[in-house]
Amino acid sequence: MKKIMLSVIAVMCLAGFSSLSFAEDMGKMKGDMKDMKGDMSGVMMKDGKMMMMKDGKMMGPMENEMTMSNGTKMMMDGKMMMKDGKEMRMKEGQMMMKDGKMMESDKGMMGEMGK
């Protein structure tokens, strides 16, 4: 009987430790997601208009040209001028982060422009 009780206690302890570890992992993942969302600042083409984004939230229409950290200039009409002079135009749902990386709104990172 004592062996059975010790086995049950051992299993319960292991289950408790594994759920604690799982909870810690989930907490870290939530923190990582907040950090990612905090990095989600830039511009996005939405309904044919360039919109400003800060920390993953739409802040309103773009009011001025912006130069990203990689040298890409974003115009208010969605035109992009790369550092090397190449021109492109944003399409619906595309985002450009402040560092010049392009993303689709639901597909993740597309790559870095101007490199």
Side-chain angles (χ1 to χ4, degrees):
M1 186 67 171
K2 285 184 182 180
K3 287 184 181 179
I4 293 173
M5 286 297 281
L6 287 174
S7 297
V8 169
I9 290 171
V11 168
M12 288 175 53
C13 286
L14 288 174
F17 288 132
S18 93
S19 66
L20 178 61
S21 177
F22 177 74
E24 288 173 353
D25 290 344
M26 290 304 291
K28 287 178 187 174
M29 285 175 47
K30 285 181 183 177
D32 290 345
M33 292 302 284
K34 284 181 185 176
D35 289 344
M36 281 179 53
K37 199 171 187 180
D39 292 343
M40 297 289 287
S41 296
V43 294
M44 177 180 186
M45 178 66 77
K46 175 90 169 136
D47 298 326
K49 296 178 183 166
M50 291 302 294
M51 304 296 283
M52 296 291 300
M53 292 187 61
K54 182 168 175 69
D55 298 331
K57 295 179 184 172
M58 204 77 66
M59 300 306 289
M62 187 175 172
E63 296 176 355
N64 301 323
E65 289 181 1
M66 271 179 95
T67 302
M68 306 306 179
S69 63
N70 71 344
T72 300
K73 278 190 178 181
M74 280 302 313
M75 313 303 173
M76 291 173 30
D77 64 356
K79 185 168 77 172
M80 299 176 275
M81 175 76 75
M82 298 338 142
K83 192 174 182 178
D84 64 4
K86 183 178 175 184
E87 289 186 20
M88 294 177 72
R89 186 165 295 278
M90 293 273 279
K91 295 180 182 154
E92 186 66 26
Q94 287 182 326
M95 296 183 282
M96 180 175 279
M97 304 294 99
K98 286 184 175 181
D99 62 2
K101 290 189 175 136
M102 289 287 293
M103 294 179 68
E104 293 286 336
S105 61
D106 61 347
K107 295 183 183 171
M109 208 68 74
M110 287 175 49
E112 200 165 330
M113 303 301 291
K115 282 196 173 185

